[in-house]
Amino acid sequence: MIPVANALQIVLDQTTSLPAESVALVDALGRILAEDIVADTDLPPFDRAQMDGYAIRTADVANTPARLRIVGESAAGNGWHHEMKAGEAVRIMTGAPVPAGADAVQQVELTREVDGAGFVEILESVKRGRSIVKQADEIKVGETVLRAGEEINAAMIATLASFGYAQLKVGRRPRVTVMATGGELVDVDQRPGRDQIRDSNNYTIAAYASLAGAIVERLPLVGDDTEELKRRISKASEASDVLITSGGVSMGVYDFTKAALKELGAEVFFERVALRPGKPTVFARLGNTLVFGLPGNPVSVAVTFNLFARTALRAMQGSKDVTLPAETAVLSRDLKGSIDRESYLPARLRSDEGGTLLAEPLKWGGSSDFVAFAKATALINLPIKTNTVRAGRVVRIVRLPH
Ligand code: AMP
Ligand code: MG
């Protein structure tokens, strides 16, 4: 058994990033940036009005009401490009350029237009610079605004669009093949016969792999037969960057996944991790394909996928955040750790009225209890050699992707 940290390091050492590709902005959501994003203009690109109202000279409105002559109008997309002089005002809209000579905008609610006469009364004085965002106040041309390795989320789209990134470079999505093994398995659209169960792992792994950015292919179910496993594994490895199997890696008489990998000449880097749940996790390489042999139990699959396979998939795309970010929370009830293994135990997060993040360990029946796991939003990470941790203690957690 190797420690989780060592296993993770091996996964990182064996993973190389895939080449970048160019995508259109509309297809960029969730992808990993493979280039720095640089401002091609100042922001704002000109002194910009923040309110509908009148561009004025503050000296003219020191005493109010002050009557000013309206000499023009500056609209968004159609500014008034003259010098505004003493005693003058320019009607201005939000987002429009502020004319030269003006040093503030008074909002329209604090003004009164003198009907038909071409004058406006400014009802309250205003400080210099009021309701004006100066050119380049937010960003200067040439500044780096987003960095390679960041995942593109919806909040970043405006930035990418505003600086003209109609196309951008992102890490290629890894091609992942998913293969469930086990003579007891039938597909989801079948009614299980005697001694059979429906496969869920193929679907769980496919779901988490797409959340991690992969392009996923699910293979038909494979029985517990070394020759058949070898054929399928060998075929799958030709077409994919990563192969993820489930089942057949523990100590049972019909656990053939490791044997099949070894007979095919795969290099096996580890096959037992000091992890609960998920001890019999296998990591290997066959040709250029990374192979994760995950355990059969559905909860172990969710844990080991997110610790190891997800890390590889993120690293392949050039992500700077390859592991799930660790946070802390307060344990809401006692939780038993393990002496010889590090634990990642399913939990629900909520915050109490005081703003404290609480981790509520799920009441579960072990690593086969996928119905209990359906409520999990996080995993509580207890170090190796942990006895019972008492309610109220601070624990390390990672949020599950969703
Ligand atoms: P194994 O490691 O192959 O002995 O599997 C451990 C447990 O997980 C057994 O109870 C299997 O029936 C179950 N299991 C294995 N593969 C799957 C799967 N694809 N979907 C749901 N349960 C599975
Ligand atoms: Mg099995």
Side-chain angles (χ1 to χ4, degrees):
M1 274 204 308
I2 64 165
V4 172
N6 299 22
L8 259 179
Q9 192 55 52
I10 293 171
V11 169
L12 285 171
D13 291 346
Q14 294 302 325
T15 305
T16 46
S17 53
L18 298 169
E21 63 185 12
S22 182
V23 292
L25 180 55
V26 286
D27 299 319
L29 188 65
R31 304 295 297 270
I32 308 294
L33 272 174
E35 60 177 326
D36 289 346
I37 299 300
V38 177
D40 72 338
T41 61
D42 286 337
L43 222 62
F46 44 79
D47 292 357
R48 179 178 66 198
Q50 245 180 336
M51 289 277 186
D52 296 322
Y54 288 88
I56 50 94
R57 301 162 74 104
T58 49
D60 289 345
V61 302
N63 300 308
T64 52
R67 173 176 279 236
L68 301 174
R69 196 157 68 83
I70 302 170
V71 293
E73 183 179 284
S74 180
N78 189 15
W80 187 82
H81 298 289
H82 310 278
E83 174 89 18
M84 209 185 77
K85 301 194 184 60
E88 295 180 347
V90 166
R91 192 183 290 117
I92 197 162
M93 318 308 153
T94 304
V98 176
D103 63 0
V105 168
Q106 181 56 294
Q107 64 188 92
V108 69
E109 293 85 347
L110 301 178
T111 68
R112 183 168 58 219
E113 208 166 310
V114 183
D115 266 348
F119 286 90
V120 60
E121 271 185 359
I122 306 297
L123 305 178
E124 280 182 27
S125 63
V126 37
K127 276 216 198 84
R128 255 186 98 100
R130 183 62 190 265
S131 297
I132 297 175
V133 187
K134 295 294 265 182
Q135 177 172 346
D137 240 16
E138 291 160 358
I139 294 295
K140 285 190 181 33
V141 63
E143 249 181 80
T144 298
V145 287
L146 298 171
R147 299 210 173 261
E150 293 186 53
E151 178 178 341
I152 298 170
N153 62 32
M156 296 173 180
I157 298 292
T159 297
L160 296 168
S162 297
F163 296 121
Y165 283 85
Q167 298 280 325
L168 54 158
K169 288 209 169 58
V170 296
R172 174 163 84 68
R173 301 174 67 181
R175 288 170 313 214
V176 170
T177 301
V178 185
M179 189 179 102
T181 74
E184 73 279 36
L185 302 176
V186 298
D187 211 340
V188 57
D189 57 359
Q190 306 290 306
R191 172 157 286 279
R194 198 172 70 170
D195 305 335
Q196 293 182 321
I197 59 166
R198 289 195 182 98
D199 157 49
S200 63
N201 290 343
N202 258 355
Y203 293 90
T204 299
I205 296 169
Y208 279 127
S210 356
L211 285 176
I215 298 168
V216 184
E217 186 191 355
R218 270 186 296 110
L219 291 188
L221 302 170
V222 188
D224 296 310
D225 176 286
T226 312
E227 288 311 313
E228 190 189 352
L229 279 165
K230 279 165 66 179
R231 271 198 307 279
R232 297 290 195 81
I233 291 174
S234 154
K235 182 131 201 311
S237 71
E238 284 163 19
S240 42
D241 301 305
V242 179
L243 168 66
I244 306 177
T245 67
S246 63
V249 287
S250 35
M251 307 300 275
V253 179
Y254 297 99
D255 290 331
F256 296 136
T257 307
K258 278 187 280 188
L261 281 168
K262 285 174 184 165
E263 284 178 29
L264 285 169
E267 189 179 354
V268 178
F269 302 110
F270 58 79
E271 45 192 277
R272 278 155 67 84
V273 184
L275 169 64
R276 182 183 74 132
K279 179 163 72 172
T281 301
V282 175
F283 177 53
R285 172 192 291 284
L286 183 58
N288 289 324
T289 304
L290 295 182
V291 184
F292 291 90
L294 306 185
N297 273 313
V299 179
S300 310
V301 160
V303 170
T304 55
F305 176 91
N306 282 301
L307 288 184
F308 303 118
R310 179 182 182 279
T311 299
L313 297 179
R314 303 298 284 178
M316 286 177 158
Q317 294 168 84
S319 169
K320 64 179 182 56
D321 302 307
V322 290
T323 52
L324 293 169
E327 299 170 60
T328 52
V330 172
L331 198 60
S332 73
R333 59 179 179 78
D334 294 1
L335 181 61
K336 232 173 90 52
S338 159
I339 296 309
D340 61 343
R341 289 188 277 164
E342 190 172 333
S343 306
Y344 278 86
L345 303 172
R348 255 189 106 71
L349 298 180
R350 66 186 165 87
S351 45
D352 69 10
E353 280 154 20
T356 302
L357 186 63
L358 298 178
E360 168 91 39
L362 292 181
K363 296 204 165 74
W364 66 323
S367 54
S368 59
D369 192 352
F370 50 83
V371 177
F373 187 77
K375 294 198 168 60
T377 58
L379 301 172
I380 297 174
N381 175 212
L382 302 179
I384 204 161
K385 295 196 178 74
T386 301
N387 260 313
T388 298
V389 184
R390 297 290 168 202
R393 298 298 295 268
V394 172
V395 288
R396 195 171 170 274
I397 57 136
V398 292
R399 286 174 207 261
L400 284 165
H402 61 270

